Amino acid sequence: MTAPAVDRAAPRSGRWHIPITVEQRAASRFLQQLGVNLVALVLAFGLGAILLLMAGDNPFDVYREMFDRAFGSSRALRETLRSTTPLILTGLAVTVCFRMGLWSIGAEGQLIAGSVAGAAAALVLGPSLPAPLAVAAVVIAAALGGAAWATLASVPRALFGTDEVVTTLMLNFVALGIMNYLIYGSVSYWRDRTNLGFPAGKVIPESAQLDPYFGVFDAGLIISLALALIVALALRRTVWGYQLRVAGDSRAAASYAGISATRQIISVFAVSGALAGIAGGTFVMSITFALEPRAIAVNLGFVGIVVAAVALLKPLLVVPIAFLMGALLSIAPSLSIFGVSPAVVIVIQGIILLCVAGAQFFIRYRVRITRVEVGSR
Amino acid sequence: MEPAVRTRGLSKDFFGQSVLEDVDFDLRWGEIHALLGENGAGKSTLCSILAGLYHPTRGEMMLAGAPYSPHSPHAALEAGVGMVYQHFRLVEQMTVAENILLGNPDVPVRMTASGLADRAREVMDRHGLWIEPTRYVADLAVGEKQQAEIIRLLNRGVKVLILDEPTAVLTPREAEALFATLRNLADQGQGVILVTHKLREVQQSADTVTVLRSGKKVAHQGVEDTTTHDLARLMIGDDLAPGSGVDASHTTGDKLLELHSVSVVSDAATRPELDDVSLTVRAGQIVGVAGVSGNGQRELAEVITGLRTTTSGTIRLRGEDISSQTIGSRINKGMGFVPEDRLTRGLVLGLEIEDNVLLRSQRDREFSIGPFLRLSAIRQWARRLIDRFDIRGVRKGLPISVLSGGNLQRLILARELSRQPALLVASEPTRGLDVGAAEAVRTTLKTERGRGVGILLFSGDLEEVLGISDEVVVMYEGRIVASRPASEVDVAQVGRWMAGVT
């Protein structure tokens, strides 16, 4: 006898009530979704403008400058897309785990593990392989590195129920410590030995460096877009994805359906770790060209959590959100040089994300103004 | 005198589907008014509108002669209409007194425990009800929690009390106590609306009955002027399912499921969950397990289906020892299972119908090739089950949580039966269903038996167990205390076994 609990009255305010009804939409069309998101962006920039005016800046100038620095030139667009690639991948990594109710916050550490493994593959195999094979080798090594790092947390989780939030978080610091040690603390294979007075990573061979096509985007972006598509299809169209969705909704139903929790947890973590690891591998191939701890550990794994959450754990939605987030990240440092307070830029970024996240509510629900009969009280 | 509640032309649409249509409903002061109907007939919707949870799409309501349109449950409560839900709105970690006075604007912010208890006692005395106010709600029996909920509403000055299937969670004795309470309240002048689909309860406790069918009012009359048979006809319509007794020619076949001395001991300090249980289910046979709930039935079903492991003993399916096999391989060997917790275990409420019909068949060749799902085959299969088992309310793109309870139950049965199991373990397959739907389920079970399926039926409804089983097994404290052909036992005897009398 459970009727859908989607029709609820709005709370009262004072002695009056707000005549609004919220109803779940049966289905939302693409254009509707696009429209709602555009309205959200306009609203965000409107609110941001008020803030900028209060801070004494001309909002039009600031917005034009922001736009120019994110998309205005091929160089700006390249920077934006370079930030987008790893965010798509870490966003996907988080999405996969969260969809099963595994609260992994280890994408950061898995990305680092992927960078270390990817850089190793580039340094060892790069010189002897042609470009496409060298890139493939780095991607595979990075995926394995990330997956292995995730497995350190997943096996205790699957076998003994160890809290994955704690283990994945702590492993992030362990990964960072190891990477720092490899470059700053030792004369390791990854370190540039030509100048030991100045610690830096050894530059990977050119066959493993990604050149931007048309000066704008490189193979890393193509790989990440392909993976977004693959993750989306895997969730919807494979037995593995089905079992993940069932386990994410009800563990009791999953065991009833004969789904092995142990196996599913380990495989989901491995896939998640591999995606984050590839983020590290592509980062090395297209941005740092070496194992550079200071450039690699810039919270891309943590921002991935924000991307996944705003994208409502939908793999295809991760792509535009990562793009938006990538643009915001790439303009932040240059804008503060332009004279706008960095704090204001951060607040505007927050407002934009908040509005986009809030917009998703209006995509799933319809809000109607309802008539109030006279004498209703 | 103005009626307590009057509705005229009340209608409600969900997603463009009408669930309540032009309902005129009248409740007088001082009467117990039963609202009768099948699952999905609109009873809960009507009550939810009265209680301010939903807004009507059309129509008007009057409360004590004044226009009434509550915009929230809180507003309804202030106007004097309160609802006791199936899932209680109580804080388990608080005492009865705290729960009763919670949210009451007259209670001072700071008040001692004894002061609270005194206030609560006052309220209870006024209405002739009693639960020790210093007890914690978590320690109360279900019936007592329900009483606490009623007292809480009365304390808020509720004049119209709505109870949504209040006896679903009660033992027969608790139900009698509840009816006595309600009669007492009605005598004090309260209007009481009792939602139910049990005909016996209407006859037993109500003054007036309104029957709903498919969202429309089909009758409104005094209980003395009607019979159970009339009500059943009004509720279900004229297509009343034929009674039992259609199982004349079936033969039982080979041994399908055999349990030998199966025990489950999870804690050595307490008595074992299952103690030396042996039983056999043959092909084409229904074995009914009777027993007061909590005497090992759940554990037995779980150990057979693989959700729980045996401590000792063996379980054989078609002669093969499956005691230590995984759930998945038991599914592959033809074991169907309708679990007791249908909402948390039997279904995935957050997913769509296709995902739910696929549950337990995801590795089946018919629905997947290697790692890939055959989406179109699954979609077709879902459509066929919807048609064949008359599952209503499915909306494309929406999770199955929008379906009514009866339809969810049909969905599980549809899925488990259509997989053509060799053995079906069915736990409480008719619980919560209305008369017509329950009879349809029993008929389906009998049909499956005719096809040679072996069925192990767990049911708290003794008449059901005796009515359709070939063999009856009685459980008491984790043991099987009696096992007889159904034709050789009667209700009274089984009742004694269930109570532990041998």
Side-chain angles (χ1 to χ4, degrees):
Chain A
M1 289 304 307
T2 42
V6 291
D7 178 10
R8 40 176 202 255
R12 282 191 318 166
S13 59
R15 293 206 62 80
W16 302 94
H17 80 274
I18 307 160
I20 282 178
T21 306
V22 179
E23 283 178 340
Q24 192 167 357
R25 286 183 201 273
S28 50
R29 280 183 295 275
F30 176 73
L31 276 180
Q32 216 168 27
Q33 297 183 11
L34 198 70
V36 170
N37 279 313
L38 284 178
V39 170
L41 282 179
V42 170
L43 185 74
F45 283 107
L47 289 171
I50 296 172
L51 199 83
L52 286 168
L53 282 174
M54 282 161 55
D57 294 307
N58 180 342
F60 293 103
D61 290 348
V62 175
Y63 284 151
R64 194 185 317 118
E65 195 63 23
M66 278 171 76
F67 186 86
D68 282 349
R69 283 168 199 246
F71 317 110
S73 63
S74 63
R75 192 186 122 74
L77 197 56
R78 187 168 78 223
E79 287 309 311
T80 293
L81 290 175
R82 272 182 173 170
S83 308
T84 304
T85 303
L87 288 178
I88 291 175
L89 291 165
T90 54
L92 290 173
V94 173
T95 296
V96 168
C97 268
F98 279 23
R99 276 291 277 269
M100 195 177 144
L102 295 170
W103 309 114
S104 162
I105 42 177
E108 182 76 12
Q110 292 146 17
L111 180 147
I112 291 171
S115 310
V116 173
L123 292 172
V124 175
L125 300 171
S128 55
L129 288 177
L133 286 181
V135 171
V138 173
V139 169
I140 290 168
L144 290 175
W149 202 251
T151 304
L152 292 180
S154 72
V155 168
R157 169 69 177 80
L159 298 184
F160 316 116
T162 316
D163 187 347
E164 73 274 13
V165 175
V166 177
T167 50
T168 52
L169 179 65
M170 298 321 266
L171 282 169
N172 289 340
F173 296 110
V174 178
L176 180 61
I178 290 175
M179 177 167 67
N180 282 337
Y181 173 77
L182 292 178
I183 301 302
Y184 304 124
S186 65
V187 185
S188 70
Y189 182 74
W190 287 265
R191 185 162 167 181
D192 182 5
R193 289 169 218 212
T194 54
N195 185 357
L196 285 177
F198 185 75
K202 196 191 292 175
V203 174
I204 58 173
E206 257 177 46
S207 62
Q209 295 185 8
L210 297 177
D211 293 321
Y213 305 120
F214 316 112
V216 175
F217 66 96
D218 59 36
L221 185 69
I222 295 171
I223 291 171
S224 69
L225 291 176
L227 285 171
L229 201 62
I230 289 170
V231 169
L233 289 175
L235 282 178
R236 187 115 292 276
R237 295 177 165 266
T238 65
V239 175
W240 178 81
Y242 172 73
Q243 295 189 341
L244 183 154
R245 288 185 290 125
V246 170
D249 200 78
S250 161
R251 290 291 152 92
S255 73
Y256 165 69
I259 298 166
S260 154
T262 312
R263 229 190 281 167
Q264 195 70 17
I265 288 171
I266 290 175
S267 73
V268 166
F269 259 103
V271 168
S272 171
L275 289 165
I278 294 172
T282 56
F283 204 72
V284 169
M285 286 192 291
S286 75
I287 298 179
T288 61
F289 304 126
L291 191 65
E292 285 297 347
R294 284 201 184 92
I296 289 168
V298 289
N299 294 339
L300 291 166
F302 294 113
V303 179
I305 298 174
V306 178
V307 170
V310 176
L312 299 170
L313 304 185
K314 300 222 189 298
L316 290 183
L317 221 49
V318 161
V319 173
I321 300 294
F323 181 65
L324 179 66
M325 202 67 202
L328 291 175
L329 282 187
S330 70
I331 57 177
S334 55
L335 259 190
S336 39
I337 298 165
F338 174 68
V340 179
S341 150
V344 173
V345 177
I346 291 168
V347 172
I348 290 176
Q349 289 176 358
I351 291 174
I352 292 173
L353 281 176
L354 216 61
C355 286
V356 172
Q360 310 316 314
F361 174 83
F362 292 95
I363 287 173
R364 288 200 292 172
Y365 296 92
R366 186 208 330 264
V367 178
R368 288 187 297 130
I369 294 178
T370 40
R371 268 178 303 128
V372 193
E373 288 95 79
V374 180
S376 65
R377 283 196 56 86
Chain B
M1 193 176 170
E2 291 287 350
V5 172
R6 159 170 290 180
T7 77
R8 286 296 171 260
L10 204 64
S11 304
K12 176 73 191 173
D13 299 345
F14 278 121
F15 307 120
Q17 268 180 335
S18 172
V19 289
L20 208 59
E21 222 177 305
D22 275 338
V23 170
D24 298 348
F25 174 80
D26 292 278
L27 172 75
R28 287 195 309 270
W29 296 111
E31 74 170 355
I32 299 182
H33 192 136
L35 200 53
L36 185 70
E38 292 193 280
N39 292 315
K43 304 177 304 250
S44 288
T45 309
L46 175 55
C47 291
S48 299
I49 291 173
L50 292 175
L53 203 62
Y54 299 156
H55 298 286
T57 312
R58 286 180 304 281
E60 50 191 55
M61 299 188 278
M62 311 272 270
L63 182 68
Y68 170 66
S69 85
H71 45 76
S72 70
H74 185 243
L77 200 59
E78 280 189 353
V81 179
M83 179 145 155
V84 176
Y85 297 88
Q86 285 183 38
H87 304 282
F88 305 133
R89 270 37 175 188
L90 295 171
V91 185
E92 298 261 320
Q93 293 82 358
M94 287 189 179
T95 64
V96 171
E98 285 168 331
N99 267 284
I100 288 172
L101 300 168
L102 192 68
N104 188 331
D106 309 334
V107 176
V109 177
R110 289 180 63 86
M111 204 168 180
T112 61
S114 66
L116 276 171
D118 287 341
R119 283 282 301 261
R121 267 187 207 106
E122 216 178 284
V123 178
M124 292 192 242
D125 284 345
R126 210 159 51 228
H127 297 280
L129 291 168
W130 179 250
I131 296 173
E132 175 54 45
T134 55
R135 286 176 70 192
Y136 282 89
V137 167
D139 301 335
L140 298 182
V142 179
E144 293 175 309
K145 286 183 189 171
Q146 199 171 48
Q147 295 266 338
E149 185 91 273
I150 292 171
I151 297 167
R152 190 171 67 88
L153 292 174
L154 292 173
N155 176 52
R156 302 297 299 273
V158 161
K159 294 278 175 281
V160 173
L161 192 63
I162 307 169
L163 297 103
D164 188 8
E165 309 214 5
T167 57
V169 291
L170 300 184
T171 64
R173 180 173 289 182
E174 286 175 323
E176 265 169 44
L178 171 70
F179 291 141
T181 303
L182 296 182
R183 176 53 62 200
N184 180 20
L185 292 175
D187 289 346
Q188 291 170 25
Q190 303 262 347
V192 178
I193 301 175
L194 182 69
V195 178
T196 184
H197 58 243
K198 293 180 188 161
L199 301 168
R200 203 164 31 84
E201 285 179 3
V202 176
Q203 295 284 345
Q204 201 181 334
S205 62
D207 305 305
T208 320
V209 56
T210 291
V211 185
L212 292 178
R213 189 167 76 225
S214 312
K216 295 190 189 109
K217 187 176 86 170
V218 291
H220 171 227
Q221 54 200 152
V223 168
E224 311 92 86
D225 309 333
T226 177
T227 65
T228 318
H229 191 74
D230 290 342
L231 288 177
R233 172 146 302 172
L234 284 168
M235 186 167 127
I236 303 164
D238 293 325
D239 48 336
L240 200 56
S244 56
V246 288
D247 47 286
S249 64
H250 74 274
T251 49
T252 51
D254 299 338
K255 287 180 179 175
L256 203 57
L257 176 77
E258 296 167 89
L259 271 68
H260 291 293
S261 308
V262 171
S263 295
V264 170
V265 186
S266 60
D267 181 357
T270 59
R271 74 171 163 80
E273 277 82 2
L274 286 181
D275 188 1
D276 198 24
V277 169
S278 300
L279 65 81
T280 304
V281 180
R282 291 171 178 277
Q285 187 188 34
I286 298 182
V287 175
V289 181
V292 176
S293 113
N295 276 284
Q297 296 97 315
R298 169 187 289 265
E299 288 77 8
L300 183 55
E302 289 184 351
V303 92
I304 293 170
T305 53
L307 284 171
R308 199 181 272 265
T309 52
T310 55
T311 310
S312 63
T314 54
I315 301 169
R316 289 176 189 280
L317 187 64
R318 288 183 178 134
E320 185 188 351
D321 188 349
I322 57 162
S323 314
S324 52
Q325 289 189 356
T326 62
I327 299 167
S329 70
R330 294 184 206 207
I331 293 171
N332 286 340
K333 294 196 168 63
M335 191 181 283
F337 181 26
V338 177
E340 198 177 343
D341 326 310
R342 58 190 60 117
L343 298 188
T344 51
R345 194 181 281 290
L347 293 169
V348 203
L349 288 185
L351 303 184
E352 296 170 30
I353 186 120
E354 285 85 1
D355 295 323
N356 276 283
V357 298
L358 185 61
L359 204 64
R360 281 164 79 82
S361 305
Q362 71 270 19
R363 295 275 183 206
D364 206 300
R365 285 253 179 80
E366 204 175 325
F367 300 125
S368 61
I369 311 167
F372 299 104
L373 295 174
R374 300 176 57 184
L375 288 187
S376 62
I378 295 163
R379 221 172 290 133
Q380 270 174 22
W381 183 238
R383 229 173 294 147
R384 269 183 52 195
L385 292 188
I386 290 169
D387 286 348
R388 229 182 89 205
F389 289 83
D390 194 23
I391 298 162
R392 292 180 206 178
V394 174
R395 298 277 302 198
K396 197 176 157 39
L398 282 189
I400 58 157
S401 53
V402 302
L403 299 187
S404 77
N407 280 307
L408 291 175
Q409 174 76 337
R410 268 204 285 279
L411 172 57
I412 300 187
L413 281 161
R415 184 187 66 213
E416 292 305 306
L417 289 175
S418 59
R419 303 186 73 245
Q420 301 193 317
L423 176 79
L424 179 70
V425 177
S427 293
E428 305 290 350
T430 61
R431 184 195 280 164
L433 294 188
D434 54 66
V435 187
E439 191 53 43
V441 168
R442 285 183 211 115
T443 308
T444 315
L445 290 178
K446 283 189 273 192
T447 314
E448 293 299 312
R449 167 177 64 185
R451 285 199 201 139
V453 178
I455 299 172
L456 188 63
L457 170 71
F458 294 84
S459 175
D461 183 346
L462 199 48
E463 281 172 32
E464 177 172 282
V465 171
L466 291 175
I468 67 169
S469 304
D470 302 297
E471 187 89 19
V472 175
V473 163
V474 184
M475 293 196 76
Y476 180 71
E477 297 199 333
R479 307 169 66 96
I480 287 182
V481 292
S483 172
R484 300 273 194 288
S487 53
E488 294 174 16
V489 292
D490 58 41
V491 176
Q493 196 176 15
V494 174
R496 281 196 296 278
W497 283 326
M498 284 166 59
V501 184
T502 44

